Amino acid sequence: MRTYIGRQQAVSVEDFVELALGTPVELWLGAEGETAEERAARLDAARDILADPEYSNLPDDVARIAAEVIEAHAPELFNVVPLVRPTGRRLSFRKGAAA
């Protein structure tokens, strides 16, 4: 099955997220080993994008996408198994004189 966003095909999860948001994921998350200058430039670009009216709904879109992913994968994400308390013998301490 092929997935298209607009006229672009999403081949991987990263492609899907990038096409859905309209910006590369690395712009928001950063890249491993980036320098302080690269980080400052990336954050500047992100601020410029958020200031553009075309992307004014981007934070809401990201929250919606995150909620949809959590909902779709909730069983795996929240694989919680209740712990059973062991039912051991209770020791009773009695006061009194020994015979």
Side-chain angles (χ1 to χ4, degrees):
M1 185 166 120
R2 296 182 183 171
T3 303
Y4 288 89
I5 306 286
R7 296 176 189 227
Q8 299 291 320
Q9 181 181 1
V11 178
S12 66
V13 173
E14 291 80 16
D15 287 347
F16 180 79
V17 172
E18 183 174 336
L19 291 169
L21 295 176
T23 61
V25 176
E26 292 82 16
L27 177 68
W28 308 106
L29 301 179
E32 190 174 325
E34 71 181 355
T35 65
E37 278 184 4
E38 291 169 334
R39 184 176 195 278
R42 178 177 57 80
L43 293 176
D44 257 357
R47 276 190 285 279
D48 289 345
I49 288 172
L50 289 174
D52 187 336
E54 179 182 348
Y55 291 100
S56 63
N57 292 330
L58 187 61
D60 293 333
D61 292 343
V62 170
R64 180 183 45 75
I65 290 170
E68 288 172 358
V69 168
I70 290 170
E71 182 179 19
H73 299 285
E76 296 90 25
L77 292 173
F78 303 109
N79 189 7
V80 178
V81 178
L83 297 176
V84 180
R85 291 184 179 258
T87 56
R89 275 189 296 157
R90 288 190 178 185
L91 300 175
S92 61
F93 297 100
R94 297 177 188 225
K95 292 183 182 179

